[in-house]
Amino acid sequence: MKKKYKIKKKVLYSGLIFIGIIFIAIFLSLKIYNNYKYKQSYEYKLIEHGYTLEQAKELEKNSKEKDLNQILKLSRNENIITFLKEKYYITNNLERYLNYQDKNKDTSTKDIVAIVNVNRDFDYYKHDIDSDISKNELLLVNKYYKLKEDFEPINLVNISNKYAYQNNQVISIVNDAFVSMWNAANENGYKLIINSSYRSYKSQDDVYNNLKASKGEKNADKQAARPGYSEHQTGLAIDVFEINNQLTSTFKDSEAYTWLKNNAYLYGFIERYPEDKENITGYAFESWHYRYVGIEVAKIIHDEDITYDEYYAYYIENQANN
Ligand SMILES: [Zn+2]
């Protein structure tokens, strides 16, 4: 009887030990698993990369997975956190933001983002990209985005003499939008007049090369776009004045200009080369040059006070890549 009881006790003990071992094993493997999981996390990887726990948390909070992978590829740099918080930050440009900052320590991160997004970290005419003509009225042409010699817009129409000097042409939707804008301006007492619009590659080539021959390349580049790089080749750009204010030197001081600046977007036009944006657009202030982009896009550009070059980089190209 006693012996049987002893055996039972033994079985009970070994059973308990066995259960204990199982528990310890589960506990340890959970610990190992959690540790393994943590090592896979971005927080761990960022700390291993040299960031503090606080910085790692901040980086994670402000980034998408794509951003974090990009950050881990670059050497440790605390300034990345400031760039990530910029509204128009583009992941693919991060390395270029940092390189630009290295060489331009006094430029703000906001300005660096704008400059790099529009390729201004490359020299004009030294970083050619083919304009994507499938974008239609949203296509971009500047000193980096170039149209081919044989590009001609479709649906070009002659602009009536009521609104323009002779031999002016734009795409038909631009013509319609301009007529609406002309009528609204007229109701406010301003008689708008277009003095330049569509220019073929050939005519831009003539303008530019005549300037180059008489004044040299540097001066020619200041006054005219090189052929293929002119927005006038798109049929979407117009040079507009008011019948009583037709000088490039003084149009900016006219009431008609103020009216255009505040109202053009309602008709789908934007001021393409605004004051103090030369480093972004590549052009000195042109109070007379307007570009059609459609009402929806013109409103965003107007409300956010950005240039078309910045809009295109962030809202069109970057979002197509995401
Ligand atoms: Zn123009």
Side-chain angles (χ1 to χ4, degrees), residues 149-163:
E149 191 170 346
D150 61 2
F151 174 80
E152 270 175 42
I154 42 168
N155 299 325
L156 276 178
V157 294
N158 291 315
I159 310 172
S160 147
N161 286 349
K162 187 175 174 187
Y163 314 113

Side-chain angles (χ1 to χ4, degrees), residues 39-83:
K39 282 191 174 172
Q40 304 298 306
S41 75
Y42 282 107
E43 186 181 294
Y44 175 81
K45 287 179 187 167
L46 288 164
I47 291 169
E48 284 289 290
H49 210 64
Y51 293 100
T52 64
L53 175 63
E54 203 176 65
Q55 288 166 341
K57 284 192 165 152
E58 185 87 357
L59 284 166
E60 267 199 289
K61 199 178 94 189
N62 289 291
S63 336
K64 294 181 198 132
E65 198 170 337
K66 201 176 155 196
D67 295 333
L68 292 167
N69 288 326
Q70 178 70 7
I71 291 163
L72 288 167
K73 277 189 210 143
L74 302 171
S75 26
R76 182 193 170 279
N77 190 330
E78 284 171 29
N79 297 332
I80 290 174
I81 300 168
T82 328
F83 279 113

